[in-house]
């Protein structure tokens, strides 16, 4: 049970840090703020991955519980790739997000996190 609560808290923190990272990158805030949120979102993402994987390995019934888990994991993978893309954009390419692209990424991430929470809480199929 502790893993479930920990995973949920880590997922909430990752959502908050990733959404804030997108907004700081979009608004071209220079300096430590954007790097701080990039670091926090990455650490939270890795922690969610580790705890979630450990949870599934401890309880194999989660993997076999239905198609909802596969849809949730698909959203999870897309958000992880988005986080890595934004890190590359920040540190390697030294670029900022346009207003339109930032809004698209922000709202996609928001709805993806809300969908994952809905799928986890209801397990509809």
């Amino acid at each position: 049970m502790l893993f479930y609560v920990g995973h949920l808290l880590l997922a909430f923190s990752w959502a908050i840090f990733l959404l804030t990272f997108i907004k700081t990158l979009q608004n071209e805030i220079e300096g430590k703020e954007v790097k701080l949120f990039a670091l926090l979102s990455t650490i939270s993402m890795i922690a969610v991955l580790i705890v979630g994987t450990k949870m599934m390995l401890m309880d194999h019934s989660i993997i076999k519980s239905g198609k909802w888990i596969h849809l949730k994991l698909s959203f999870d993978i897309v958000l992880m790739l988005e986080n890595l893309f934004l890190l590359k954009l920040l540190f390697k390419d030294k670029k900022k997000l346009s207003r339109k692209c930032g809004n698209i990424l922000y709202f996609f991430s928001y709805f993806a996190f809300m969908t994952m929470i809905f799928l986890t809480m209801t397990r509809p199929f």
Side-chain angles (χ1 to χ4, degrees):
M1 186 64 170
L2 185 62
F3 276 106
Y4 294 115
V5 174
H7 182 70
L8 189 61
L9 290 175
L10 286 170
F12 276 121
S13 67
W14 179 35
I16 291 168
F17 292 138
L18 180 60
L19 293 173
T20 308
F21 176 37
I22 292 169
K23 280 300 181 185
T24 55
L25 196 59
Q26 176 189 8
N27 292 330
E28 299 182 12
I29 297 173
E30 296 292 328
K32 297 178 183 179
E33 292 90 5
V34 68
K35 291 178 182 175
L36 175 68
F37 288 119
L39 179 68
L40 290 172
S41 71
T42 305
I43 290 171
S44 298
M45 176 189 73
I46 293 169
V48 165
L49 180 65
I50 291 170
V51 172
T53 303
K54 206 169 194 81
M55 196 169 50
M56 286 191 294
L57 290 174
M58 286 175 38
D59 186 8
H60 294 288
S61 65
I62 294 172
I63 298 170
K64 299 175 184 177
S65 63
K67 294 179 184 175
W68 69 271
I69 190 71
H70 301 293
L71 184 60
K72 178 190 177 290
L73 291 174
S74 297
F75 277 116
D76 207 10
I77 290 168
V78 169
L79 287 173
M80 287 181 182
L81 291 173
E82 177 186 335
N83 199 359
L84 295 174
F85 168 73
L86 291 173
L87 284 173
K88 179 187 173 292
L89 198 66
L90 176 66
F91 290 110
K92 189 174 181 186
D93 298 340
K94 307 275 189 215
K95 294 184 180 176
K96 304 297 178 191
L97 288 176
S98 69
R99 190 125 184 103
K100 187 175 184 176
C101 182
N103 285 337
I104 290 169
L105 288 176
Y106 182 85
F107 285 109
F108 170 77
S109 300
Y110 175 79
F111 288 120
F113 278 117
M114 290 298 117
T115 302
M116 287 192 305
I117 291 169
F118 172 77
L119 289 170
T120 303
M121 296 300 168
T122 61
R123 299 180 181 194
F125 46 86

